[in-house]
Amino acid sequence: NGFATSLTRGQIIAFAADADIKQVEFDAPVYPHLDTSQQWFGTTKARGDFGVDGNADGSAGYSKNDIVVAVLDTGIDPNHLDLDGGKIIAWDDFTPANQPNPYDETGPCSGHGTHVSSIAAGEGQADANFKGVAPGAALIGLKVLRVQGNDCTGQTSWVNAAVQWLIDNKTTYGIEIGNMSLGVS
């Protein structure tokens, strides 16, 4: 049971001393900074302490024998410097466009699927500060969002079909992780 409010210094001190109050935090501005978030959320430590990098088979290429992440989103740009070189090992487009090859939306979608994919598995070639959590992981792009008018949107039926595809192809492609950075309003 939390809440946000503006308090004076004296009120903050009083709240902090109250036994019923578990925590008082400053409402600091937040920004998207993958370069520092990796250290704060344990990614850097996991790589160092446990060798987490997604390259499960030790080879230079990408395959179902690596950690495989299926991303249900706007698509994945296969030409992005951090996601090229065969990193996308499978693709399916569940939108009416039904394109056979990986791509990502622009405009209102702003390459969201490429962004999400690079957080998960970007190699850091464009900028080492923005290396993904598991740069050696392989990706599967399952396109469920597209530009429609001035919006970036999809349909529940497209998402359901993509989830079923993920389930049906889990063993074929060695899928271990599914990501959907989307929601409904």
Side-chain angles (χ1 to χ4, degrees), residues 42-128:
T43 303
T44 305
K45 184 166 177 47
R47 278 196 202 115
D49 291 358
F50 305 107
V52 171
D53 74 351
N55 185 355
D57 64 5
S59 72
Y62 300 102
S63 74
K64 73 176 204 166
N65 298 320
D66 292 314
I67 300 301
V68 178
V69 181
V71 179
L72 289 73
D73 211 294
T74 62
I76 304 173
D77 179 356
N79 300 312
H80 188 286
L81 189 58
D82 288 334
L83 304 174
D84 61 359
K87 185 174 272 294
I88 304 167
I89 63 169
W91 164 264
D92 207 331
D93 184 349
F94 294 90
T95 72
N98 196 25
Q99 296 296 313
N101 297 311
Y103 70 101
D104 199 353
E105 295 282 336
T106 57
C109 291
S110 300
H112 189 265
T114 297
H115 177 85
V116 169
S117 296
S118 67
I119 289 172
E123 296 171 335
Q125 289 177 318
D127 184 333

Side-chain angles (χ1 to χ4, degrees), residues 155-166:
Q155 299 295 136
T156 305
S157 58
W158 305 347
V159 174
N160 289 344
V163 169
Q164 189 62 54
W165 186 99
L166 186 155

